DNA sequence: CAAACATAGCTAGGATGCTTAGCAATAAGG
DNA sequence: CCTTATTGCTAAGCATCCTAGCTATGTTTG
């Protein structure tokens, strides 16, 4: 089971190692504690994903596929390939591997004989839920305990962070924005 | 240039599609808006990374290497392989590719003739900074505008999220914690 | 109705990026 | 000095993806 660490120090906010504000020596602004924390969460999320994958003996793509299947209940290979943004040929191999490990089964489609339906195995879903629970459960509990005021502050902030990313990823605005977000 | 999308709907907090609280149909708790936003940030961060990689004509591993080099100023292949958590042989190939594209150069080490020093090219750093700036600059600006009270709320929250991940990733505690974080 | 077109998912061969094993050169330790 | 350890590279092999192509099936058109 190959689990590769690949933490990028720069593509998530943070911009450097220091907790101060201003600019670091390569010209990136420092976000202080908040930016560093966001960056750390991104890195830890990736680590956790690999941790869960190791527990279920699957590679990152296969784990992602399992998670999509769990959420959707079942999917055809074409639907899965669209969600994973990989070719249908690669999806066939993903499903092959997952079938071999007993994580999913292929069933004929109810009304279209060209199609296959990929269904997660009940035991596999239970194992995946158990592996995911520490983080998802932890964050759910944490957010339950927030006061309405605190929740509003955090949600407003995170909404703006999402907006920054979306602007940065938009085809034309990204070039024009250049550092001035819509917020 | 191969940029693979691989968004996992389950390994970051969120636990499902609905904004309500409670449990979804596969047993994962719902975190409401905050959990979904965190999940979205994780996904968008990955998308942004691929976006930046495309702009610089590098794959995810090579981009991560570039970012480590930018932050550190320069690194030996062994140091780089440790940070990337890949073998030194793979690191050699990463550096080969980056050298070919003009993103880095190899120099002899100043005092140890076994060693090589990998140095990012100035023009490459400038291009990378430019590509990263929309998000890093945006988040830096956003956090500058926070009131001290709001900042404290957000930092406390994010600290706890980080803690949840770290507990989940710790070798022995993760099994014992089981959903009761240290917070 | 039949023909043309579209869709589904799989197979085969190839490309890419990683691994392990091994090596020559060099550095460190006794 | 000799032994051990470190460095980073080469070569072969493996895992996972891609494109091209195919058969079976479903939909649209005349």
């Amino acid at each position: 089971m190959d689990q590769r660490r690949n933490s990028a120090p720069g593509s998530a906010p943070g911009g450097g190692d220091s907790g101060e504000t201003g600019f670091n020596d390569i010209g990136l602004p420092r976000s202080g504690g908040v930016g560093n924390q966001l960056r750390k969460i991104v890195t830890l999320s990736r680590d956790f994903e690999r941790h869960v994958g190791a527990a279920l003996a699957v590679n990152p793509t296969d784990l992602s596929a399992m998670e999509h299947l769990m959420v959707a209940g079942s999917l055809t290979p074409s639907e899965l390939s669209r969600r994973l943004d990989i070719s249908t040929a690669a999806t066939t191999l993903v499903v092959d591997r997952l079938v071999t490990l007993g994580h999913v089964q292929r069933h004929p489609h109810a009304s279209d004989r060209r199609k296959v339906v990929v269904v997660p195995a009940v035991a596999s879903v239970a194992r995946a839920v158990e592996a995911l629970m520490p983080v998802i459960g932890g964050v759910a509990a944490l957010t339950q305990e927030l006061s309405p005021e605190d929740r509003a502050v955090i949600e407003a902030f995170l909404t703006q962070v999402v907006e920054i990313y979306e602007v940065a990823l938009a085809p034309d605005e990204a070039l024009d924005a250049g550092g001035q977000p819509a917020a």
Side-chain angles (χ1 to χ4, degrees), chain A residues 6-7 13-14 19 43 70 93 110 152-153 160:
Chain A
N6 210 351
S7 53
T43 300
M70 281 162 57
L93 299 173
V153 167
Q160 289 183 299

Side-chain angles (χ1 to χ4, degrees), chain A residues 70-133:
Chain A
M70 281 162 57
V71 170
S74 68
L75 293 165
T76 66
S78 292
E79 288 165 340
L80 191 52
S81 82
R82 277 191 291 271
R83 294 188 187 207
L84 296 172
D85 198 11
I86 60 175
S87 66
T88 56
T91 303
T92 295
L93 299 173
V94 166
V95 175
D96 285 347
R97 292 194 293 266
L98 292 177
V99 164
T100 296
L101 290 171
H103 285 306
V104 306
Q105 290 126 20
R106 280 187 175 96
H107 295 310
H109 193 270
S111 54
D112 185 337
R113 296 209 289 186
R114 296 170 302 182
K115 292 184 179 178
V116 169
V117 177
V118 182
V119 182
V122 172
S124 166
V125 172
R127 282 177 62 202
V129 167
E130 181 182 350
L132 293 166
M133 188 61 78

